[in-house]
Amino acid sequence: MRAILFGLALSALSPLAPAWADDAAALPENKQTVQKLYLTAAEAYENVVQSPQEVLFLDVRSPGEVAFVGMATVADANVPHMIQPASPAWDDKRATFKMESNPGFIDEVRARLQAKGLDQDAAIVLICRSGDRSAKAANELAKAGFGNVWSVTDGFEGDLAKDGPLAGTRSVNGWKNAGLPWSYKLDKAKMHGM
């Protein structure tokens, strides 16, 4: 057993988990957090469904991503860590629209915790597309005094396949690829700003 999250032993790793999933030191730098608390999508699902009242499970992707790609049905809310600015701007380096920090991120996390009857020391599990934004969001929460923040290292869509017929697609691991429950139908009460 790798770790204990909410007093429950974590299960064996998903067969879709990357080689580094059981070795936090081998995580790519962009997926590492200061608290070093990590879960695969399968582990996050197992722990959230076993202890739904003891954990806050947040999708930190942008509202657009959630609307067009879907969302885990067991997530408590979409609280984006990054949002598009009011006036769209282009990022030439990344060949996409620029994103900026969500100025209300910490306050919205606090409000979601309070609505669930939890405090700042409760377990918070964060998921993004592939594990890098959730790591950044976890670090921001840690800096703000939250002491039990977990990052889903393979995210909702997973990592990019490096070779083979699916090279360049997010087909290696992640929530959707593990066959975990998700939907395009969104719950208004779970959406950012609602």
Side-chain angles (χ1 to χ4, degrees):
M1 302 280 168
R2 290 184 16 201
I4 303 291
L5 177 55
F6 318 116
L8 301 170
L10 294 177
S11 67
L13 292 175
S14 160
L16 296 174
W20 43 258
D22 201 29
D23 182 7
L27 270 173
E29 189 175 325
N30 64 325
K31 294 185 181 202
Q32 293 182 23
T33 67
V34 294
Q35 293 181 348
K36 309 233 180 282
L37 300 175
Y38 309 109
L39 296 167
T40 64
E43 291 168 339
Y45 176 71
E46 180 181 327
N47 282 278
V48 168
V49 299
Q50 287 184 19
S51 301
Q53 297 308 312
E54 298 174 32
V55 61
L56 182 67
F57 182 30
L58 300 176
D59 188 321
V60 298
R61 294 175 298 150
S62 71
E65 284 175 280
V66 169
F68 291 108
V69 182
M71 184 170 149
T73 56
V74 296
D76 289 304
N78 168 235
V79 180
H81 181 248
M82 304 291 289
I83 55 175
Q84 286 189 322
S87 297
W90 190 253
D91 183 337
D92 286 322
K93 181 179 176 185
R94 300 183 73 194
T96 189
F97 289 101
K98 288 185 179 181
M99 300 289 280
E100 61 185 26
S101 292
N102 174 2
F105 178 69
I106 299 294
D107 290 338
E108 192 170 350
V109 170
R110 282 192 179 110
R112 294 288 182 168
L113 279 168
Q114 185 179 25
K116 218 171 166 183
L118 299 172
D119 63 24
Q120 199 163 302
D121 295 322
I124 302 171
V125 175
L126 306 178
I127 192 169
C128 66
R129 179 185 64 191
S130 59
D132 57 337
R133 275 180 288 166
S134 59
K136 288 179 180 91
N139 288 339
E140 186 174 334
L141 289 171
K143 185 177 178 182
F146 296 81
N148 193 10
V149 186
W150 297 76
S151 178
V152 178
T153 57
D154 50 342
F156 186 71
E157 292 185 72
D159 291 309
L160 292 170
K162 294 185 185 200
D163 49 33
L166 297 175
T169 66
R170 295 196 177 277
S171 56
V172 175
N173 50 26
W175 191 275
K176 286 176 97 172
N177 294 317
L180 300 171
W182 65 278
S183 179
Y184 290 116
K185 185 177 180 182
L186 305 176
D187 179 346
K188 181 179 178 181
K190 292 181 177 186
M191 296 303 103
H192 168 64
M194 296 291 139

